Amino acid sequence: MTSNASAPAGPGRYKWIGKPVPRKEDAALLSGRAQFIDDIEPVANLKHAAILRSPHAHARILKIDASRARALPGVTGIVSGAEVAEITRPIPSVVKTAIAYYPIAVDKVRFVGEPVAVVVAEDRYIAEDALDLIEVAYEPLAAAVDPLRAMEEGAPLLHDELGSNVAHRRSFEYGEPDAAFDGAEHLFALDYRFPKYASTPIETFGVTAHYLPSPDRFTVWSNFQGPFVLHPLMARALGVPGNRLRLITPPASGGSFGIKQAVFTYITLLAAVSRILRQPVKWTEDRLEHLMASSSAADRVGRVEAAFKSGGELVGLRFNNICNMGAYVRAPEPASVYRMQATSNGCYGVRNIAIENILVVTNQMPTGLNRGFGGPQFFFALERMMDLAAKGLGIDPADLRRRNFIAKDSFPYLCPGGSLLDSGDYTKALDECLRLAGYPELKAKREQARKAGRLFGIGFAVGLEPSGSNMGYVSLAQTAEERALAEPKSGANSSATISMDPTGSVTVQLCSTPNGQGHATVAAQIVAERLGIEPDQVDVVTEIDTQTSAWSIASGNYANRFAAQVSGAVSMCADKVADKLKLIALEILECDVRDILLADGAAQIAGVPEKSIAVRKLAAAAHWNPVAMPERSEPGIHETVVFSPPTLTSVDDRDRVSSAVTYGSVFDLVALEIEPATGRVSVDKYVSLHDVGTMLNPLIVNGQIHGGFAHGFGCAMLEEIAYDANGNLLSGTFADYLCPTAADIPALTIGHLNAPSPMSELGCKGLGDGSSMLTPAAMANAVADALDMKEVELPLNLHRVWQMVQGQKPVPASALAPTEKKADAVVAPGPGVLSGEGETVIAADRETVWRTLLDPDELAAVIPGCEKLTEQGPDRYAASVTIGIAGIKGGYEVAIELKDKVAPESLRIVGRADGALGHGSAEGWVTLAPAGDGRTALSYRYNARVGGKVAAVGQRMLGAATRILINQFFNGLNRRLGGAGQRSGGGGPIGRLIAVLAALFGGGSR
Amino acid sequence: MRRIGGNERHRIELTVNGRSHAGEAEPRMLLSDFLRHRLGLYGTHVGCEHGVCGACTVIVDGRAVRSCTQYAIQAEGATIETVEGLADGERLNALQQAFHEHHGLQCGFCSAGILMSAVHFLKENPRPSEAAVRDMLSGHICRCTGYDGIVRAILDAAGTLKDQTKETIGE
């Protein structure tokens, strides 16, 4: 491949391809006219579903009593997991294990948010009301949350039938890694953790399922993004042949980044519900449901080792990948860990690589596609290692990479794992990146900053962007023997259909289910180019309807598939249409077919533009006058191309496979400074240089790079799906799961050095994921450089960086020891536990306060939202409390026990609460002391642990809600005791505890 | 103040984009749901229902508000502007056109709310700096664009876009 990587699609060659054409999608989207899934009600008499979800990380379902819910007016049906399991089959994954995955819990719940029952009602509000009326008896079980702890002997088992939480383990060797390590002069190793995060599209999941009997037939509208390899799995689960599961996507989809692959679980669930209830059912996911139970990237605990020769030559790599799959290995996982395997040399010429992949199940949300899919984790390991080794070897990190790059004249390059790299000039690209960044100046700046005692760092990350996935690569999860027993899998079918109606207008149908990437615009550019018409004359249908579209298993929007593959199918299909138009024109123009060109809306003889015939006339002839059609031509104009790149063969017997068709590359450099007092990271310079091959539309290319960068930056700095050690979700709102805003994203300099790909029809390479894969590693490298630290944990939020500045090693909350559940619900302080203390002065003497606090009637009057408080026995109370905060109302049953009572001085209170919005336990200590003038000083402290929905809404919201309730209680108490007290902390014992417990449950999502 | 029972539907009359509308809603019905499912104005989108993502932003009596954290009944008699009212017939207004030209949207789901916030913001700040625009946008989450095109579009619509080329579209 030529080193000067300018695209042949220059301004001179093409009229439309390669031009920054603004998008045809925009007008509808900007005017509020675009149709998203929640905007359509495609069936009459549609009912609305809400899903009851597990508040427990791990529990047995003992009993579900839906009788009260069923009786609620407007409820039209309720379906439990057991009922769904009766009429469906589990959905398999490529990893053959004893795990049975259903889209709803059957006898056990395995993560907070797992569906337990589905309510269907006349509207969504009623359906959600009914959720509160379903009573589920759970037997809570100890949870396995941290992947390393889950692997330990004696860890709680998620799937008893599996006998372990390790679902899969495979080792691979490419080349001779042991020999390479033995013969190397320098060895480096790095242990790391990569966090669990998710791309969180702003539009959530939406599904409308419609079942019709005799024979069973499902029609499901959803914002599913593919891959449609999941279609046969869904059909199988629902027990129908593929042609009786009709999937339809709407015209617009509000982002996905891979996540909407997981819509397939709800397609299956709602289809089953529709069948059981014989009602068409619509469901729209809410944000809390999305953050707790949709899908996420697989977090990883890993170790990477590297062997270098003395000159800095990288001769060996070892990867140990412990991948947290969440509660199930859910298709298409474990693809995330196998996606990068064939390319695990990165941009480097290293030939000896050892890999061990371990899949662990834990009590967390299952994983799936997410922007970069496996790339961010992989490049974090490899590129952290390169910066680390550069430091150890005393070689500039840019130079170390240069010394190891695959040479520009080696393409196509066969990687040890089997990937066939298409083109590139990595050295030149890196040099261009350094030039754009002003690398020498940045190094001088770092020098100066360090002299002044400031924390300034520079980080690199370079990598490949495998695009257009081989449907066969996931078979790496199977042994050669297992693969021999299965049908071989390879390729990546892409299709496009183009028709021209009798007036000459063009309709293109795509199989790429875009979620905002502008496929319609680019397809119109390509077709306009090929047919010599204007893009405005080309209508592009991006909706898939499996009953009418030319789809195949690879259809969908993932792995940068559009540019790498679909654009080629569109171009080839347009060529077929062009050929036909030329053939028809031939009869009229009477010339050699090779002399005909399509331009300006007409077929012309090259060089004789006055001899031409309008394209619309050719189209009319094809429809109106088939008798006169040239030989071998079918009447009408309707062409479909289905195409699969020939390089995408099956996994061979040595576990090698070319996992993708094009391999763009990304070269990132970041310089940043850390404020030691706060841990704040300020980016000084960020340059990202890309090789995307031929650019089809530079406006869209750079938009994708900006977007991918924002995802990578969010992962690096802010985003984390957090669990406590007991499996309670701590990040259920956008106030807790922090996405970067416009104020957080630093300026990005984008550069291009584009080497056209010989593997794709138009020379373009897939793009969009690249920066999401590299930015986390680059940011971590720069922070490591600034702090001169080896191990750096993401996300690099204020707290973590501050800890690192202090020389501490941050540990994620999920990796801490789980708290033991004792019978009397004593809660030990620690992460995830709400603790507090305070003092208040009450205008009554100690005995009066004591009596009031122990009198159920008195208390019921002052506790906010208390409907009933009854004495259950000596020092045992039960209360029904309804608390509404900001329009969010929930009812709770609170059980209280008083212990260690020393009248009228002190007592300890132990309580438990259960409600539709969550569960929890708390322990409080209260002391009363005389405060003079007949007043009493009441002091208290408490620890509370909450689970379910309420834990997910985060401490900041709970704290505010709690304060409001404390004030209410305090005012009520003082009114009751007839005096004005002075508050210095606020609260009282039982009521205080009830208020705290209730507050913890008050903050649901709706 | 009139008291309304929890399950009682109340007739709400309001003006949206210059047209009077009426619909019935229970007191607990959110304004976002009312606009979408009662009035059929699906251009306003719902992204989080807890007031953080900003997708549902509309202008109520001259103020940009989150329609997901307001009840429909609170908007009784109000004058509301939504994304459907921005274009002049088929013609995009200057702000919409700037979003189109600067690729300030990809999936377009968050755009309605961002546009409405920007309309309100530009009324108060006709010549904003980039920092001010970014500060305003911090009340919105866009997962597609990385905000670059959005910031440029708003600055361009305000006439304050400096030609500071941050990108080199190479070769």
Side-chain angles (χ1 to χ4, degrees):
Chain A
M1 198 44 51
T2 56
S3 64
N4 189 349
S6 80
R13 188 171 158 204
Y14 288 136
K15 188 172 178 196
W16 297 111
I17 294 174
K19 298 295 159 55
V21 178
R23 304 190 320 162
K24 64 196 296 138
E25 291 89 340
D26 291 354
L29 293 165
L30 289 166
S31 319
R33 290 197 311 267
Q35 284 203 309
F36 292 88
I37 187 69
D38 191 50
D39 306 341
I40 56 175
E41 297 206 342
V43 196
N45 204 20
L46 201 50
K47 308 299 180 201
H48 298 267
I51 299 175
L52 182 71
R53 293 174 183 277
S54 169
H56 296 284
H58 198 192
R60 222 173 287 287
I61 300 171
L62 301 177
K63 195 181 165 209
I64 300 177
D65 179 358
S67 51
R68 282 173 64 213
R70 230 178 278 277
L72 187 73
V75 170
T76 59
I78 295 171
V79 174
S80 69
E83 290 170 87
V84 171
E86 255 173 51
I87 61 150
T88 59
R89 280 189 270 184
I91 304 172
S93 147
V94 70
V95 178
K96 303 290 171 232
T97 68
I99 297 172
Y101 171 66
Y102 288 95
I104 184 167
V106 179
D107 49 3
K108 230 174 132 177
V109 290
R110 294 182 176 88
F111 64 98
V112 169
E114 184 166 14
V116 172
V118 180
V119 173
V120 179
E122 294 296 342
D123 74 35
R124 175 64 177 256
Y125 286 76
I126 296 171
E128 291 199 17
D129 287 345
L131 293 185
D132 293 350
L133 301 176
I134 300 177
E135 286 159 33
V136 185
Y138 292 100
E139 177 197 344
L141 304 168
V145 183
D146 178 64
L148 291 184
R149 288 178 187 276
M151 288 170 70
E152 285 170 5
E153 194 76 25
L157 287 184
L158 270 86
H159 304 273
D160 293 331
E161 55 281 19
L162 195 63
S164 149
N165 291 323
V166 175
H168 165 87
R169 186 191 290 259
R170 270 211 79 189
S171 298
F172 302 84
E173 278 194 5
Y174 301 102
E176 295 180 13
D178 287 347
F181 273 79
D182 287 346
E185 275 90 21
H186 302 279
L187 301 181
F188 299 95
L190 176 71
D191 294 299
Y192 66 93
R193 274 178 182 267
F194 195 89
K196 185 178 179 79
Y197 71 113
S199 294
T200 65
I202 302 302
E203 181 198 40
T204 54
F205 293 1
V207 175
T208 292
H210 185 207
Y211 164 82
L212 286 175
S214 317
D216 294 344
R217 185 184 291 280
F218 300 95
T219 305
V220 186
W221 294 260
S222 77
N223 50 9
F224 178 54
Q225 65 132 45
F228 280 74
V229 65
L230 295 168
H231 181 280
L233 300 186
M234 288 186 263
R236 185 184 175 277
L238 291 166
V240 290
N243 61 356
R244 285 199 256 122
L245 171 61
R246 179 183 184 185
L247 300 186
I248 301 174
T249 61
S253 172
S256 174
F257 322 106
I259 286 291
K260 283 177 182 161
Q261 157 259 313
V263 173
F264 90 94
T265 67
Y266 293 102
I267 292 174
T268 314
L269 176 60
L270 274 300
V273 167
S274 178
R275 179 179 155 181
I276 292 166
L277 299 178
R278 306 281 167 123
Q279 297 166 15
V281 178
K282 175 175 179 168
W283 169 74
T284 302
E285 185 190 48
D286 73 24
R287 183 54 57 185
L288 174 60
E289 291 182 291
H290 188 82
L291 286 168
M292 63 168 35
S294 60
S295 186
S296 81
D299 51 310
R300 197 174 285 184
V301 185
R303 179 179 175 84
V304 54
E305 296 173 18
F308 286 86
K309 292 283 197 188
S310 55
E313 188 197 348
L314 174 63
V315 292
L317 284 168
R318 284 188 184 128
F319 297 95
N320 177 267
N321 302 315
I322 298 172
C323 308
N324 180 5
M325 295 282 100
Y328 304 88
V329 181
R330 187 172 75 182
E333 290 285 27
S336 65
V337 71
Y338 284 104
R339 179 176 182 210
M340 301 306 297
Q341 174 144 330
T343 321
S344 47
N345 52 299
C347 292
Y348 311 117
V350 55
R351 303 294 310 175
N352 308 300
I353 300 171
I355 297 168
E356 183 180 31
N357 294 325
I358 299 171
L359 307 181
V360 185
V361 288
T362 64
N363 292 111
Q364 300 187 14
M365 158 166 72
T367 62
L369 267 58
N370 194 72
R371 198 167 196 165
F373 198 43
Q377 297 90 328
F378 168 75
F379 285 115
F380 188 84
L382 180 62
E383 291 301 297
R384 287 283 294 112
M385 171 53 74
M386 290 306 280
D387 266 24
L388 189 75
K391 193 154 279 185
L393 294 165
I395 301 174
D396 181 280
D399 196 35
L400 182 67
R401 287 176 170 87
R402 254 189 231 109
R403 292 185 202 186
N404 285 288
F405 278 151
I406 294 162
K408 67 177 179 182
D409 54 7
S410 328
F411 294 97
Y413 179 84
L414 185 63
C415 298
S419 277
L420 190 65
L421 306 186
D422 44 355
S423 66
D425 184 344
Y426 302 157
T427 302
K428 192 171 174 195
L430 180 61
D431 289 347
E432 176 64 5
C433 171
L434 300 185
R435 187 188 70 77
L436 289 172
Y439 186 43
E441 293 80 16
L442 288 175
K443 283 204 286 192
K445 201 168 177 180
R446 175 173 65 185
E447 195 61 37
Q448 238 175 358
R450 286 188 177 166
K451 271 189 191 146
R454 284 156 43 211
L455 303 171
F456 193 97
I458 298 173
F460 285 89
V462 311
L464 298 169
E465 190 171 1
S467 301
S469 285
N470 184 340
M471 301 312 285
Y473 81 75
V474 192
S475 308
L476 280 169
Q478 299 174 333
T479 61
E481 295 73 43
E482 287 169 331
R483 287 198 297 269
L485 293 175
E487 298 300 321
K489 295 183 176 67
S490 71
N493 299 334
S494 291
S495 57
T497 298
I498 301 177
S499 54
M500 195 177 256
D501 69 14
T503 68
S505 65
V506 176
T507 304
V508 182
Q509 277 179 281
L510 298 179
C511 64
S512 59
T513 55
N515 317 90
Q517 293 87 349
H519 295 180
T521 297
V522 180
Q525 286 176 260
I526 296 168
V527 172
E529 188 77 53
R530 294 293 189 235
L531 302 186
I533 56 178
E534 304 286 308
D536 288 352
Q537 294 172 266
V538 182
D539 203 23
V540 183
V541 179
T542 57
E543 298 102 295
I544 279 192
D545 177 343
T546 56
Q547 203 165 60
T548 57
S549 304
W551 66 279
S552 182
I553 55 162
S555 296
N557 189 27
Y558 56 94
N560 303 336
R561 183 170 170 268
F562 178 79
Q565 290 171 336
V566 179
S567 67
V570 172
S571 179
M572 284 183 249
C573 191
D575 282 341
K576 273 178 94 171
V577 172
D579 287 348
K580 185 165 196 174
L581 292 172
K582 287 177 186 176
L583 270 184
I584 301 169
L586 194 63
E587 312 271 307
I588 299 153
L589 298 174
E590 294 173 329
C591 65
D592 191 314
V593 73
R594 284 167 299 187
D595 291 337
I596 297 179
L597 60 88
L598 297 173
D600 306 323
Q604 308 168 355
I605 299 179
V608 196
E610 64 277 12
K611 253 201 120 174
S612 73
I613 178 163
V615 163
R616 67 185 158 76
K617 288 194 175 171
L618 301 174
H623 287 278
W624 285 106
N625 196 13
V627 172
M629 285 291 280
E631 249 182 275
R632 291 174 288 112
S633 274
E634 290 166 7
I637 299 179
H638 189 90
E639 300 290 345
T640 294
V641 162
V642 184
F643 149 81
S644 179
T647 53
L648 302 186
T649 52
S650 301
V651 180
D652 73 11
D653 55 4
R654 287 154 68 195
D655 292 315
R656 292 177 308 182
V657 63
S658 195
S659 57
V661 66
T662 68
Y663 296 84
S665 47
V666 183
F667 304 81
D668 275 13
L669 186 160
V670 56
L672 54 80
E673 184 162 355
I674 296 168
E675 189 180 72
T678 60
R680 183 175 299 283
V681 174
S682 303
V683 171
D684 183 74
K685 188 90 193 167
Y686 203 113
V687 176
S688 191
L689 187 115
H690 290 244
D691 173 359
V692 301
T694 304
M695 283 202 264
L696 300 177
N697 181 330
L699 194 66
I700 291 177
V701 166
N702 285 343
Q704 286 298 309
I705 292 171
H706 276 292
F709 170 68
H711 276 285
F713 189 78
C715 164
M717 304 305 292
L718 297 164
E719 298 179 34
E720 185 174 26
I721 295 172
Y723 289 89
D724 73 13
N726 295 324
N728 293 306
L729 181 79
L730 304 176
S731 50
T733 73
F734 272 150
D736 306 282
Y737 188 88
L738 298 178
C739 304
T741 70
D744 301 313
I745 299 281
L748 172 69
T749 304
I750 296 175
H752 284 279
L753 193 81
N754 295 321
S757 174
M759 304 297 181
S760 70
E761 180 72 9
L762 297 167
C764 49
K765 298 174 181 173
L767 70 123
D769 280 358
S771 283
S772 71
M773 295 180 176
L774 273 302
T775 303
M779 291 297 297
N781 276 338
V783 166
D785 183 49
L787 297 177
D788 195 21
M789 275 183 96
K790 185 178 166 189
E791 288 171 31
V792 170
E793 290 264 331
L794 303 183
L796 295 161
N797 56 34
L798 291 178
H799 179 63
R800 279 223 175 83
V801 176
W802 183 84
Q803 277 185 307
M804 289 190 285
V805 171
Q806 307 302 312
Q808 301 165 10
K809 192 186 165 193
V811 180
S814 58
L816 297 165
T819 51
E820 293 195 14
K821 288 194 173 157
K822 289 186 186 156
D824 64 349
V826 170
V827 182
V833 172
L834 290 164
S835 297
E837 56 187 10
E839 200 180 274
T840 184
V841 177
I842 297 170
D845 63 56
R846 198 153 68 146
E847 283 71 20
T848 308
V849 175
W850 181 262
R851 267 201 317 277
T852 308
L853 292 175
L854 300 190
D855 180 338
D857 294 334
E858 293 284 326
L859 269 179
V862 297
I863 294 168
C866 184
E867 285 156 7
K868 201 169 68 181
L869 187 129
T870 51
E871 210 164 346
Q872 300 292 93
D875 295 335
R876 288 194 299 123
Y877 300 88
S880 299
V881 179
T882 299
I883 298 289
I885 295 163
I888 305 154
K889 234 179 203 172
Y892 306 93
E893 296 301 320
V894 183
I896 301 287
E897 221 176 323
L898 306 183
K899 301 190 170 223
D900 311 336
K901 244 167 54 181
V902 184
E905 275 166 33
S906 65
L907 75 164
R908 177 165 70 101
I909 308 164
V910 174
R912 272 204 199 85
D914 268 297
L917 296 176
H919 58 91
S921 49
E923 183 170 35
W925 293 262
V926 180
T927 45
L928 300 176
D933 299 338
R935 295 178 309 160
T936 304
L938 182 156
S939 60
Y940 62 86
R941 64 191 168 88
Y942 66 90
N943 297 316
R945 177 180 286 283
V946 294
K949 228 181 211 181
V950 285
V953 304
Q955 298 213 20
R956 85 190 74 190
M957 289 168 90
L958 296 176
T962 307
R963 274 195 300 279
I964 292 167
L965 287 165
I966 290 168
N967 284 337
Q968 287 178 3
F969 174 78
F970 178 76
N971 292 336
L973 188 65
N974 265 326
R975 271 202 305 276
R976 203 79 187 166
L977 294 172
Q982 281 171 8
R983 181 162 51 90
S984 61
I990 299 176
R992 162 78 186 126
L993 188 83
I994 291 169
V996 168
L997 285 168
L1000 303 178
F1001 301 99
S1005 74
R1006 246 177 198 271
Chain B
M1 196 202 279
R2 195 154 90 77
R3 288 193 73 83
I4 294 152
N7 298 319
E8 203 181 313
R9 282 196 174 186
H10 175 66
R11 186 176 160 85
I12 295 168
E13 289 178 20
L14 36 66
T15 304
V16 186
N17 302 325
R19 273 190 57 198
S20 31
H21 287 265
E24 291 196 336
E26 293 170 11
R28 63 174 173 171
M29 184 174 233
L30 301 176
L31 178 57
S32 50
D33 284 344
F34 182 77
L35 289 171
R36 290 174 54 76
H37 299 295
R38 289 277 190 272
L39 304 188
L41 294 165
Y42 290 107
T44 297
H45 295 152
V46 174
C48 74
E49 291 179 299
H50 51 260
V52 180
C53 82
C56 67
T57 304
V58 298
I59 298 176
V60 179
D61 293 332
R63 282 176 40 234
V65 304
R66 311 287 208 216
S67 60
C68 79
T69 52
Q70 260 213 18
Y71 295 115
I73 207 164
Q74 291 173 276
E76 162 76 35
T79 298
I80 295 181
E81 294 161 65
T82 70
V83 68
E84 285 97 340
L86 291 182
D88 175 13
E90 285 299 295
R91 252 175 81 105
L92 299 182
N93 75 10
L95 183 66
Q96 290 170 310
Q97 186 62 27
F99 269 69
H100 175 57
E101 283 164 13
H102 291 279
H103 196 21
L105 70 157
Q106 288 181 22
C107 81
F109 194 81
C110 69
S111 306
I114 291 180
L115 286 168
M116 298 322 288
S117 276
V119 164
H120 176 257
F121 170 77
L122 290 175
K123 212 167 270 174
E124 314 265 307
N125 309 271
R127 305 279 300 165
S129 65
E130 177 174 338
V133 170
R134 286 187 179 270
D135 187 54
M136 177 276 286
L137 285 174
S138 69
H140 290 269
I141 301 174
C142 167
R143 292 299 254 165
C144 293
T145 63
Y147 306 102
D148 182 76
I150 298 174
V151 173
R152 286 161 178 267
I154 295 171
L155 289 172
D156 197 11
T160 49
L161 179 65
K162 290 192 198 91
D163 195 42
Q164 33 172 260
T165 312
K166 275 191 220 147
E167 299 169 19
T168 56
I169 297 179
E171 308 298 299

